[in-house]
């Protein structure tokens, strides 16, 4: 698994626009940036467990997971609010998948764009964005949706406190039973979380979007995943 993850991380910057876009997210909202890193990490590990996906597909899912919330740069006053969001705020929040898609269109593959545009869709059609359901929801969106929801529940937000991972998985299991999430990827994420030593990215010293690494060592997304977010067994 370690070698596969390393290859995935090494390839994500083959898209020249990736670093610029995630830098922009980091400048506007550090919490959103850290969330994107964590979702990317979870998604990379879930992909590593899925033997049915070709490697190019896994790479693009990782890119998509990193950029899944890039549309929030277009609504930055809302994501910077220190108070509880009102309905008008939530209406703006619900626009971020489409805004991210429009921002990235023409720069990335269809796989990357699908993950950005559809990561808030649900299999039962109850999500937001375009209202697609069932088989219309692509694999990349299913994986990112699970990882996104898990991280949102287990991370502190300005408007809510985090829950323990067991409670988060109980909620995900309930929503799998309701037909919202793909249970296969929830189970893979459980494997990632319970069978690997996952630690919070919030404990890592970050200046803007750069991790402090030992002098002489080059910063890379691979180091975020392999050296700081997890210890593969």
């Amino acid at each position: 698994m370690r070698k596969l993850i390393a290859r995935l991380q090494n390839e994500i910057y083959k898209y020249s626009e990736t670093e610029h876009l995630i830098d922009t997210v980091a400048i506007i909202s550090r919490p959103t940036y850290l969330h994107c890193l964590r979702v990317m990490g979870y998604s990379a590990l879930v992909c590593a467990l899925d033997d049915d996906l070709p490697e190019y597909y896994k790479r693009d899912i990782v890119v998509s997971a990193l950029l899944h919330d890039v549309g929030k740069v277009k609504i930055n006053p809302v994501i910077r609010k220190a108070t509880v969001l009102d309905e008008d705020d939530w209406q703006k929040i619900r626009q971020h998948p489409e805004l991210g898609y429009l921002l990235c269109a023409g720069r990335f593959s269809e796989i990357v764009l699908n993950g950005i545009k559809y990561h808030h869709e649900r299999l039962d059609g109850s999500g937001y964005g375009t209202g697609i359901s069932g088989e219309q929801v692509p694999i990349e969106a299913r994986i990112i949706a699970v990882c996104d929801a898990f991280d949102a529940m287990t991370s502190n937000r300005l408007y809510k406190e985090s829950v323990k991972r067991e409670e988060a998985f109980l909620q995900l299991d309930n929503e799998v039973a309701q037909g919202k999430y793909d249970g296969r990827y929830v189970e893979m994420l459980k494997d990632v979380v319970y069978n690997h030593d996952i630690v919070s990215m919030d404990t890592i010293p970050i200046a803007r979007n750069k991790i402090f690494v030992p002098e002489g060592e080059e910063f890379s997304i691979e180091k975020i995943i392999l050296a700081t977010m997890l210890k593969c067994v």
Side-chain angles (χ1 to χ4, degrees):
M1 181 184 287
R2 180 182 289 267
K3 290 182 180 179
L4 175 57
I5 296 169
R7 290 198 300 273
L8 290 172
Q9 309 316 316
N10 281 334
E11 291 200 3
I12 67 171
Y13 281 136
K14 285 186 176 179
Y15 290 108
S16 61
E17 296 288 342
T18 307
E19 188 168 12
H20 169 71
L21 287 167
I22 199 63
D23 278 358
T24 303
V25 174
I27 292 168
I28 289 174
S29 172
R30 183 176 183 272
T32 301
Y33 168 72
L34 291 174
H35 167 69
C36 288
L37 288 182
R38 291 190 298 265
V39 173
M40 179 192 69
Y42 290 131
S43 298
L45 290 166
V46 168
C47 284
L49 294 177
D50 192 342
D51 295 331
D52 294 334
L53 293 177
E55 192 162 318
Y56 78 88
Y57 209 111
K58 295 179 181 183
R59 178 204 64 204
D60 282 7
I61 291 174
V62 173
V63 175
S64 188
L66 178 62
L67 298 176
H68 76 283
D69 273 350
V70 71
K72 289 182 179 178
V73 303
K74 297 294 187 181
I75 53 169
N76 68 79
V78 175
I79 63 174
R80 288 179 171 184
K81 282 189 71 171
T83 57
V84 175
L85 302 182
D86 58 29
E87 182 54 36
D88 183 59
D89 294 329
W90 280 111
Q91 287 183 6
K92 293 175 182 175
I93 288 285
R94 294 185 188 105
Q95 296 173 10
H96 81 269
E98 179 67 18
L99 292 172
Y101 170 81
L102 293 174
L103 188 62
C104 295
R107 307 182 186 190
F108 298 92
S109 74
E110 183 178 4
I111 297 166
V112 175
L113 295 175
N114 282 344
I116 294 169
K117 185 173 184 178
Y118 299 125
H119 70 276
H120 278 291
E121 304 290 355
R122 298 295 178 257
L123 298 180
D124 65 350
S126 65
Y128 62 82
T130 62
I132 60 174
S133 62
E135 294 301 316
Q136 294 175 308
V137 183
I139 290 172
E140 50 270 29
R142 298 179 188 209
I143 292 174
I144 295 171
V146 168
C147 296
D148 182 40
F150 177 78
D151 186 70
M153 286 187 277
T154 56
S155 302
N156 286 321
R157 300 289 179 95
L158 290 173
Y159 49 87
K160 74 172 187 64
E161 293 185 354
S162 64
V163 302
K164 293 182 178 180
R165 60 189 187 180
E166 292 80 8
E167 185 176 341
F169 279 127
L170 180 61
Q171 178 65 31
L172 285 173
D173 286 339
N174 287 339
E175 297 198 18
V176 167
Q178 295 169 25
K180 297 181 184 297
Y181 293 106
D182 191 323
R184 181 167 178 254
Y185 295 116
V186 172
E187 293 305 312
M188 286 185 181
L189 183 59
K190 287 180 185 177
D191 190 4
V192 164
V193 171
Y194 290 132
N195 295 324
H196 297 81
D197 185 16
I198 304 293
V199 298
S200 173
M201 284 290 291
D202 290 326
T203 65
I204 300 166
I206 294 180
R208 223 180 100 231
N209 72 321
K210 295 295 186 284
I211 269 188
F212 292 113
V213 297
E215 187 176 354
E217 289 190 24
E218 184 180 355
F219 168 85
S220 71
I221 295 296
E222 176 185 347
K223 286 185 173 63
I224 293 176
I225 303 300
L226 295 178
T228 59
M229 189 173 177
L230 73 150
K231 300 171 185 175
C232 286
V233 296

